[in-house]
Amino acid sequence: MKKYFIIYLITIMLAGCQNNKIQSDYDVITKKVDSLLNIMTLDEKIGQMNQYNGFWDVTGPAPKKGNAKFKYENLKKGLVGSMLNVRGVKEITVLQKIAVEETRLGIPLIIGNDVIHGYKTLSPIPLAEAASWDLDAIEKSARVAADEASSAGTNWTFAPMIDISRDARWGRVMEGSGEDPFLGSLIAKARIKGFQGNDLSLNNTIAATAKHFAAYGFSESGRDYNTVDISRNTLHNIVLPPFKTAVDAGVRSFMNGFNEFDGVPVTGSVFLQRDILKGDWKFDGFVVSDWGSISEMIAHGYAKDGNKATELAVKAGSDMDMESHLYVRKLKDLVDSGKIDHKLIDDAVSRILRVKFELGLFLRVV
């Protein structure tokens, strides 16, 4: 009995030491984030909230005109925090060198790509993986993908998609885990563990994204980008459980969606992003919009123009703008005019910087 008691005490002590280390690492990163945030201009902060799609052959001549030239100049000014759809060590290194060596503060980019069911080594599609009920194999599948993607310069994946869907007409059912929230939650945890491992700063891990927050899989008649009309019971007991599991598993980013929920585009939903995700669940990572979903609030009839769409998105908790180009064009004037509180900018940027520090990007990029 005495022997088991001693083992129990040692276990408790080791667990305490581990918790203390985690808290210590968290506090160290908090200090680094705060220090960097204190020397950033408003323009540079907004830049961290701006994500661009890959826009030119970066190993060739720089663009001379058009949208690519605009984006390239913003990159050199430190007005880009992230890029997606840039692949391969050669091209990503060129971009990172511009970000680190040619901008005032040298903040590295977080490079996102769709690593959905493998990078070079392909696994079955997520729906087929889900049908196996083999959680170990699913985790290993994500681990292999993370190994390969990270070796090519990608440090962030827009996966796993954990939308529960029960309408086979919806075109993205194959990217999810089916119709059951219990199985979907288990798979969400397994895939996040596979992508992120136990230490995000290791060079063979990548940050995962829980998407699409929320209810995208219940779009009316399976029509993409459409409205969602479900009860709060369905929301809390069917749609949200895999997302809560993702937070508990330590996922570092969320992506919102194109759909409306309860008459409000989810990109502009305070209820989903501020109240539930960042409030009740205390999620401390960042939220990225889906492709152009901030500007698409105009098409939904929810925002009258780009200024209003930007204001609604920031206030709702959308931290990073994927390819709407609205934050980098509109946000400074909204802050200067007092329509958006500077504290909301600091909150969004601190979340993005935290994940960059956790990934070890400031140490990895030279």
Side-chain angles (χ1 to χ4, degrees):
M1 188 71 177
K2 188 175 182 181
K3 173 184 173 184
Y4 292 117
F5 181 69
I6 292 172
I7 293 173
Y8 173 75
L9 285 178
I10 292 172
T11 302
I12 293 296
M13 290 171 64
L14 289 174
C17 291
Q18 180 64 24
N19 289 337
N20 288 339
K21 182 183 183 303
I22 292 171
Q23 184 61 48
S24 176
D25 291 345
Y26 189 90
D27 292 342
V28 167
I29 289 178
T30 298
K31 290 178 180 178
K32 290 179 179 179
V33 169
D34 290 344
S35 296
L36 184 52
L37 202 63
N38 285 335
I39 62 172
M40 295 175 72
T41 66
L42 177 57
D43 283 331
E44 288 166 335
K45 291 175 183 179
I46 292 170
Q48 289 301 302
M49 300 169 69
N50 177 38
Q51 183 186 61
Y52 284 145
N53 179 43
F55 48 81
W56 89 94
D57 179 2
V58 293
T59 58
K64 301 298 182 184
K65 60 183 179 178
N67 193 41
K69 182 175 185 291
F70 164 76
K71 293 179 177 180
Y72 176 67
E73 289 174 348
N74 280 348
L75 177 62
K76 296 190 73 171
K77 292 175 183 176
L79 301 182
V80 184
S82 175
M83 291 192 63
L84 74 156
N85 292 342
V86 183
R87 296 178 181 273
V89 173
K90 188 176 182 180
E91 293 206 341
I92 290 174
T93 299
V94 171
L95 290 172
Q96 290 286 25
K97 276 185 168 291
I98 294 172
V100 172
E101 297 177 1
E102 298 186 38
T103 65
R104 186 179 78 93
L105 295 176
I107 301 174
L109 301 167
I110 183 169
I111 304 291
N113 278 302
D114 279 312
V115 184
I116 304 301
H117 58 104
Y119 188 80
K120 286 292 187 180
T121 303
L122 295 184
S123 300
I125 61 173
L127 189 62
E129 286 189 334
S132 74
W133 287 74
D134 191 333
L135 297 174
D136 287 338
I138 292 170
E139 181 180 329
K140 288 175 184 176
S141 167
R143 178 90 295 279
V144 170
D147 279 335
E148 295 180 348
S150 60
S151 70
T154 293
N155 42 51
W156 179 26
T157 175
F158 304 125
M161 191 191 90
I162 54 180
D163 297 297
I164 299 300
S165 180
R166 294 174 171 178
D167 190 335
R169 293 173 296 181
W170 188 48
R172 299 187 69 170
V173 292
M174 73 288 295
E175 196 182 340
S177 300
E179 62 185 23
D180 181 66
F182 177 71
L183 177 61
S185 296
L186 294 176
I187 291 174
K189 182 178 180 180
R191 298 195 74 203
I192 290 164
K193 177 70 180 300
F195 287 131
Q196 296 188 168
N198 295 317
D199 183 353
L200 205 57
S201 68
L202 297 178
N203 61 11
N204 65 340
T205 59
I206 58 179
T209 306
K211 66 181 188 183
H212 304 82
F213 197 66
Y216 191 33
F218 279 79
S219 58
E220 196 173 66
S221 303
R223 290 177 292 181
D224 215 7
Y225 292 57
N226 207 343
T227 189
V228 170
D229 188 10
I230 58 176
S231 69
R232 293 298 172 99
N233 177 62
T234 299
L235 175 71
H236 287 285
N237 291 313
I238 305 299
V239 171
L240 292 184
F243 290 103
K244 179 58 166 65
T245 297
V247 173
D248 294 341
V251 73
R252 301 316 294 136
S253 69
F254 265 60
M255 181 186 290
N256 51 43
F258 297 113
N259 59 290
E260 290 183 358
F261 170 73
D262 205 15
V264 178
V266 295
T267 302
S269 175
V270 175
F271 170 68
L272 290 172
Q273 295 174 115
R274 292 275 181 209
D275 295 347
I276 293 179
L277 180 60
K278 295 178 178 180
D280 294 345
W281 297 352
K282 295 178 171 51
F283 174 65
D284 64 351
F286 68 90
V287 178
V288 62
S289 77
D290 207 338
W291 185 291
S293 67
I294 296 175
S295 63
E296 287 189 3
M297 287 197 288
I298 303 170
H300 276 292
Y302 190 69
K304 65 178 181 179
D305 55 27
N307 282 318
K308 192 62 178 179
T310 301
E311 179 184 349
L312 290 167
V314 172
K315 288 181 175 178
S318 295
D319 302 310
M320 183 180 287
D321 175 10
M322 180 195 288
E323 273 294 296
S324 281
H325 308 170
L326 287 176
Y327 282 6
V328 75
R329 294 178 187 268
K330 307 290 187 181
L331 197 43
K332 185 176 182 180
D333 288 342
L334 289 168
V335 173
D336 289 342
S337 68
K339 289 185 177 180
I340 291 180
D341 193 329
H342 200 128
K343 290 180 181 179
L344 293 179
I345 307 302
D346 285 351
D347 176 65
V349 177
S350 66
R351 290 169 177 274
I352 295 164
L353 292 177
R354 171 172 292 282
V355 175
K356 289 187 177 185
F357 276 112
E358 289 173 348
L359 281 165
L361 296 185
F362 288 86
L363 300 176
R364 250 183 251 176
V365 180
V366 295

